[in-house]
Each structure stands twice: as structure tokens, then as C-alpha cells.
Amino acid sequence: EARILRVLTGIGKGILLLGFLYVFICSLDILSSAFQLVGGKAAGDIFQGNAVLANPVAGLVIGVLVTVLVQSSSTSSSIVVSMVSSGILDVQTAVPIIMGANIGTSVTNTIVAMMQAGDRNEFRRAFAGATVHDFFNWLSVLILLPLEVATGVLYKFTQFLITSFNIQSGEDAPDLLNVITDPLTDSIIQLDKSVINDLATGDEGARNKSLIKFWCTVLQNVSVESCVNYTACWEDGGKFWAEQNVTMTNNIERCSHIFAYTTLPDLAVGLILLAASLLLLCTCLILIVKLLNSMLKGQVAVVIKKVLNTDFPFPFGWVTGYIAIMVGAGMTFIVQSSSVFTSAITPLVGIGVISLERAYPLTLGSNIGTTTTSILAAMASPGDTLSDSLQIALCHFIFNIMGILIWYPIPFMRIPIRLARGLGNRTAKYRWFAILYLILCFLVLPLSVFGLSMAGWIVMVSVCVPIVVLIIFVIVVNVMQSRCPRFLPKVLRSWDFLPRPLHSLAPWDAVVTSMLGFCGNRCCCCCKCSNCCQRNDEEAVRKGSLEVYDNPAMSFDDDPKDTVTHF
């Protein structure tokens, strides 16, 4: 009886886990819709500055900002494709925007990682697992954008591919995951994404339209001359009839989602959905982690960790990473969203089921998988725009392939892993730094670069070059301090000669902690970064009472002790 009860309990937990995962994915979709309602029209307006887009740096940061605003690289990419198809942009100008969209899409899993800030060690891993995607994208752009501006390698190579093969229009991208999630998400909100496209392509009439879809198309039977161009077609009464989606001007069917009858503006609906989706996202993530903790115990956890993180035996160990890349690409193709896939593996990295070294190739594969769906979608374009649409999709694909070739095959070049682990350690110690990182990386930095690019090349170069030189100098000195300090002058063997706030986060942490001092001794969920919470966390670690780490198989893998804070 006890064994039957354990089996039934395991089955029940498995069903609950699938249910929470389903709601988690749906909440990501609703989060994307909320961001589009809040910032979608602004995104369309940003794309209207055609003269600005001719500047590759401005195009890059616009791609980042728009993708962050709409929380979907596929949406921003489709806007770019629409602009190219309509002749507003040429393919060469659109390439940097696609690179920016690649960066912007990684913000979602970074937000998901912040939901695990309640546990210091879990947060260390989760944030590292999420930001390894950020570092890969940023580092790839730092190398490939100047290369593209100087040589046009992506544009020329994809143009060669397009002209070499006689590519015919194909089928649209298959809706594999959407078939499952659409019934729930469409009952909550439906958007007319063509409004953003119309704004981007200069249609001023779209400015007064709502992004919320109030009227839906009706499936009707219409009379046609022949059945040549229709799949659902039959003959009746001497006439040919076909099923076709047509928009009626009168008696059109009202949509059935929750906000179909609302009189609220888009911004208000977007803010409501934003708050609700974030709450749902956080709740599902907490429940998923707790369920995984209860299911992965003892030998089960040991076996799963070994299966997921063990390499093939010598001399085939190097193959494991490439298989993980293919798995990541395949899974992303199935779910049709790199954000969904990377957000799903982030909590698994946090609880220690997937190591950072294994999450890295899975993430790289996800970058490839999200481009294959856009290639299939581009192949469904009309014949006159097929070439340009497909070339942009191929630019996105080749960009990720080139990035992988730079940052993965040679172990020494897997710099994103080291940077992500260092950032994870820093944010675990100073959890408020995660919010600062998000704001700086996805808002302040793109806006600053965009402003400098608007001022002209001379201003941008005169400001950016000294900053880049200083960053390179600091990196070189940091490396030498840790590996060969004897080759440095005495004054540079540590950063102690600088004021402490310039080489340590501790003084800033004291400021932030004092600002959160109103929490006092009441330690609530909203003030996890305060001193009282930190003390409770430290006591919990000393007592060994953290839930995730009650399981010996999950405890403190690759979590280095606190190290000296470098510059």
C-alpha cells in the first residue's frame, strides 16, 4: 500500500508539474502581450526614424529597445521584415536591427531568474544560467557588428545563398505549442499586431487604433469561380463553394476574450495584464521549484544530474556539448520561442539539476532554434518579397552560427560562462545588483548609445573610445592581479589606492540597505535584500535548513566561497 501511495503521489506531482509549467508558459505569453500594450506603439514609432536606422549602432540599440518593449524577438523581427517588404528599409540596414533583437530577447529569462532571489545559493546559479545568454549575445555583437559594418560579410554571404538556390515559397511555421496555449491565452487577451507594423511603415491612421482586438473574423462559405486555389472547396448546385476567412463590415463577430468589451485604454489594460502575469509567473515558478525539490530526492536526483551533466567517455566527450546545442535548437523549434525555453531551464539551473556548463550549449541551441521558425515563416512570404524576407531570416541564423563558432568550440573561448558565473556570485552577495544590472544592460546602456549615435560619429567615437580603452585596461589588470601580479607595478597589484566605492560594492550595499531600513525587523517578501533577511539567510545556511539543499545531491555544486571583490 505504501508503494502504491508513493506511485500515485509521484503521478499526481508529475501532473501538477505539467499543469504549472503550462500556466507558466501561458503567463510568459500574456507578459509579452502586456508589454506590447504598454510599449507597442512606442516601438512602432521608434522604427519610423528611417534616417536614424541607417546608422548601424543606432539600428542595433533600436533592435534591443524594441524587443525589450514588446518582449518578443519574433514580433520585432516581423516588423523589420514588413518594413523591408514595403521598401522602407533595405536588407543591409536591417541586419544590425536583427542583431539587437537577438540581444533584447534574453531579458525575459533574466527577469525569471530574479523571481528566485529568495534563496541566495539558488539565485547564484539561476542568475548565472540566465545571464550566460546575455553575455553570449553582447560579446557576439561586439565582434560581429564592426565586422559587418566593415565588410558586409553577413549581407554578402546570405545574398550569395539566396541567389545560388532557387527557393520557392513554402509553408508557414507550424503552430506546435500555440495549439495548446492559445485556448487559454486567447480567452484572456487577443492583440492586433498589424497596428505596430502599420505604425512602423508610416501609416498615421494606425495611431488612433487600439492594439486590442475587439472584432474577430468569421469563417464563411463564399462562392468562387473554381477550386484551384482553395483546399476546402466543393461543388453544390452547379457552383463552387470554398471556406475562407473574410472580414465583414457589418454583423462582424465580437471577440470572446476578457477585454473584448473594455473601454479602458491600451496602457491601462497593459498594466493590469503586466501585474497579473508577473504575479502568475512568480507563483508558478515558486510552485514548480518546490515540486521539483520534492520529486528530486536522493538517488533520483543523483541519476538525473549524472544523465544531464555527464559527458560522453573519452575521446568523445567533446560531442556532448554539440548534442546539447541540437537539443536546445530542437526544443526551441517545438515551443517556437527561445524566451520560453531558456526561461524553463533557468529554475532547473537554479536548483542544481542542470549545470551552467550544460545550460550554455542548450542556450546556444535555443538561439539557433528561434531562427529556424523565422526562416520557415519567411518562406511563406509572397513571391515578390520572398527573397528579402528570407535573406533577413538567414542573416539572423548565420549571426548565431558565427557567434557559436567564436565562443564555443575552443574551451578557452567560453568566456560567457566565466562572466556569468562571476556575475552570479556578485548578485548572490548583493541581490539588489540584479535589478541594477537589468536597468543598465537593457535600458540605460542602449539609450545612452542611441543618444550618442544621434549626436554623430565624431561625438560617439570621442566618448566611447576612452571608455572602451578604460574597460580593456581594467580587465587586463584584473587578470594580471589574479594570475601574475609580480609583473604589475606595486600600486596596481590591488585597487586599494582608489576610493572604496570605485572598486567595491560594499559601500553601495550599505546605502541600499539603509534605504530599505524601513523594513525593520519585519522580514517580508518585498524586502528580501534588507539586513534582516540577509541575517536570516545566513542563519539558514549555517543551520542547513534551506529546502533546496536538504537534498545532498543538490548541495552547493560549483558555488565558490566569497572571493575578493575586484574592480
Side-chain angles (χ1 to χ4, degrees):
E1 290 183 5
R3 182 175 296 178
I4 294 174
L5 183 61
R6 283 198 302 269
V7 171
L8 291 176
T9 304
I11 293 173
K13 288 181 178 179
I15 294 171
L16 276 176
L17 183 62
L18 290 175
F20 289 138
L21 188 60
Y22 173 77
V23 177
F24 172 76
I25 293 171
C26 290
S27 65
L28 285 175
D29 194 358
I30 297 169
L31 180 69
S32 175
S33 298
F35 272 104
Q36 289 178 59
L37 285 169
V38 172
K41 289 189 176 180
D45 288 335
I46 290 173
F47 270 129
Q48 276 190 305
N50 303 328
V52 176
L53 293 176
N55 182 332
V57 177
L60 173 77
V61 295
I62 283 175
V64 176
L65 290 171
V66 169
T67 308
V68 169
L69 279 174
V70 300
Q71 281 286 285
S72 170
S73 61
S74 58
T75 299
S76 54
S77 299
S78 67
I79 296 173
V80 175
V81 171
S82 299
M83 295 178 74
V84 172
S85 300
S86 59
I88 295 175
L89 281 180
D90 57 66
V91 175
Q92 200 161 9
T93 304
V95 172
I97 305 175
I98 293 295
M99 291 184 182
N102 212 58
I103 293 173
T105 193
S106 61
V107 70
T108 308
N109 55 310
T110 310
I111 293 173
V112 169
M114 292 180 63
M115 305 294 179
Q116 295 177 263
D119 184 295
R120 189 181 300 277
N121 290 289
E122 185 179 324
F123 187 43
R124 182 198 311 275
R125 299 184 222 249
F127 205 75
T131 54
V132 74
H133 196 188
D134 303 349
F135 284 118
F136 169 78
N137 287 330
W138 279 109
L139 290 173
S140 297
V141 164
L142 286 175
I143 290 180
L144 295 178
L145 179 62
L147 183 65
E148 176 65 19
V149 172
T151 65
V153 59
L154 283 174
Y155 173 76
K156 292 176 182 177
F157 182 63
T158 52
Q159 190 177 46
F160 169 76
L161 291 177
I162 294 294
T163 54
S164 298
F165 299 98
N166 184 22
I167 300 174
Q168 303 295 325
S169 292
E171 297 296 325
D172 202 351
D175 289 333
L176 301 176
L177 187 68
N178 291 348
V179 172
I180 304 172
T181 58
D182 279 353
L184 178 59
T185 56
D186 285 352
S187 67
I188 297 173
I189 189 69
Q190 293 183 47
L191 300 185
D192 184 2
K193 297 181 181 179
S194 63
V195 174
I196 305 176
N197 282 5
D198 292 342
L199 274 175
T201 52
D203 182 0
E204 290 298 322
R207 196 171 298 280
N208 297 322
K209 294 180 182 177
S210 173
L211 275 170
I212 302 172
K213 187 183 287 187
F214 295 105
W215 301 99
C216 294
T217 56
V218 185
L219 187 68
Q220 289 199 339
N221 299 333
V222 294
S223 176
V224 294
E225 294 181 1
S226 67
C227 285
V228 175
N229 297 320
Y230 300 94
T231 53
C233 187
W234 63 95
E235 185 179 358
D236 185 20
K239 288 185 177 181
F240 293 105
W241 295 87
E243 283 187 359
Q244 187 179 27
N245 281 320
V246 293
T247 303
M248 304 294 294
T249 53
N250 297 313
N251 300 322
I252 192 170
E253 182 180 289
R254 179 71 88 151
C255 295
S256 58
H257 58 84
I258 294 174
F259 296 96
Y261 293 90
T262 185
T263 56
L264 295 173
D266 286 2
L267 179 61
V269 175
L271 292 175
I272 291 170
L273 287 176
L274 186 64
S277 60
L278 284 174
L279 178 63
L280 194 62
L281 190 74
C282 186
T283 303
C284 286
L285 193 60
I286 292 170
L287 293 174
I288 286 171
V289 169
K290 286 188 175 295
L291 268 176
L292 286 172
N293 288 336
S294 65
M295 293 171 70
L296 301 176
K297 290 183 178 179
Q299 281 303 116
V300 177
V302 173
V303 171
I304 291 176
K305 286 193 70 178
K306 283 185 176 179
V307 169
L308 290 177
N309 300 312
T310 302
D311 293 336
F312 285 117
F314 181 83
F316 302 106
W318 59 274
V319 177
T320 314
Y322 295 97
I323 292 178
I325 290 175
M326 289 189 286
V327 169
M331 292 299 296
T332 304
F333 178 78
I334 291 172
V335 302
Q336 292 190 40
S337 172
S338 59
S339 298
V340 168
F341 178 72
T342 53
S343 298
I345 67 172
T346 295
L348 296 177
V349 177
I351 65 173
V353 174
I354 300 177
S355 67
L356 182 59
E357 285 74 15
R358 185 64 74 243
Y360 181 51
L362 288 171
T363 299
L364 301 188
S366 178
N367 269 7
I368 295 175
T370 195
T371 62
T372 57
T373 54
S374 62
I375 290 172
L376 287 175
M379 291 183 69
S381 301
D384 56 339
T385 61
L386 173 63
S387 176
D388 288 343
S389 302
L390 189 55
Q391 188 173 355
I392 292 174
L394 284 175
C395 283
H396 196 183
F397 176 74
I398 300 299
F399 167 76
N400 281 303
I401 293 293
M402 292 176 69
I404 290 172
L405 291 176
I406 294 170
W407 303 115
Y408 189 75
I410 304 173
F412 174 76
M413 292 298 293
R414 294 172 189 173
I415 298 173
I417 294 179
R418 296 197 292 273
L419 293 176
R421 179 172 283 119
L423 183 62
N425 292 335
R426 193 66 67 242
T427 52
K429 189 174 183 180
Y430 308 109
R431 281 175 283 190
W432 53 266
F433 187 73
I435 300 173
L436 181 65
Y437 166 81
L438 262 180
I439 295 172
L440 287 177
C441 194
F442 294 102
L443 190 63
V444 174
L445 179 60
L447 284 175
S448 301
V449 174
F450 178 72
L452 290 172
S453 65
M454 292 286 289
W457 282 104
I458 297 175
V459 174
M460 187 170 67
V461 170
S462 60
V463 172
C464 291
V465 168
I467 294 175
V468 171
V469 170
L470 178 62
I471 291 172
I472 293 173
F473 172 76
V474 169
I475 292 172
V476 171
V477 172
N478 265 334
V479 172
M480 293 183 69
Q481 282 177 351
S482 60
R483 299 192 176 182
C484 48
R486 64 183 182 279
F487 293 110
L488 288 171
K490 281 189 176 182
V491 69
L492 288 178
R493 291 179 184 176
S494 73
W495 297 108
D496 293 341
F497 67 93
L498 292 173
R500 196 158 180 251
L502 293 181
H503 67 91
S504 173
L505 290 176
W508 300 104
D509 184 58
V511 173
V512 172
T513 302
S514 64
M515 290 173 63
L516 297 173
F518 68 90
C519 291
N521 294 323
R522 297 185 303 274
C523 196
C524 63
C525 297
C526 301
C527 48
K528 283 286 185 182
C529 296
S530 65
N531 272 337
C532 59
C533 293
Q534 290 176 15
R535 286 195 299 269
N536 288 347
D537 278 346
E538 289 163 4
E539 289 172 7
V541 170
R542 284 196 297 269
K543 295 176 183 178
S545 60
L546 291 176
E547 283 188 23
V548 176
Y549 303 105
D550 284 343
N551 180 0
M554 297 297 193
S555 61
F556 301 98
D557 286 345
D558 304 321
D559 284 341
K561 302 296 182 185
D562 287 341
T563 54
V564 177
T565 303
H566 292 294
F567 190 87

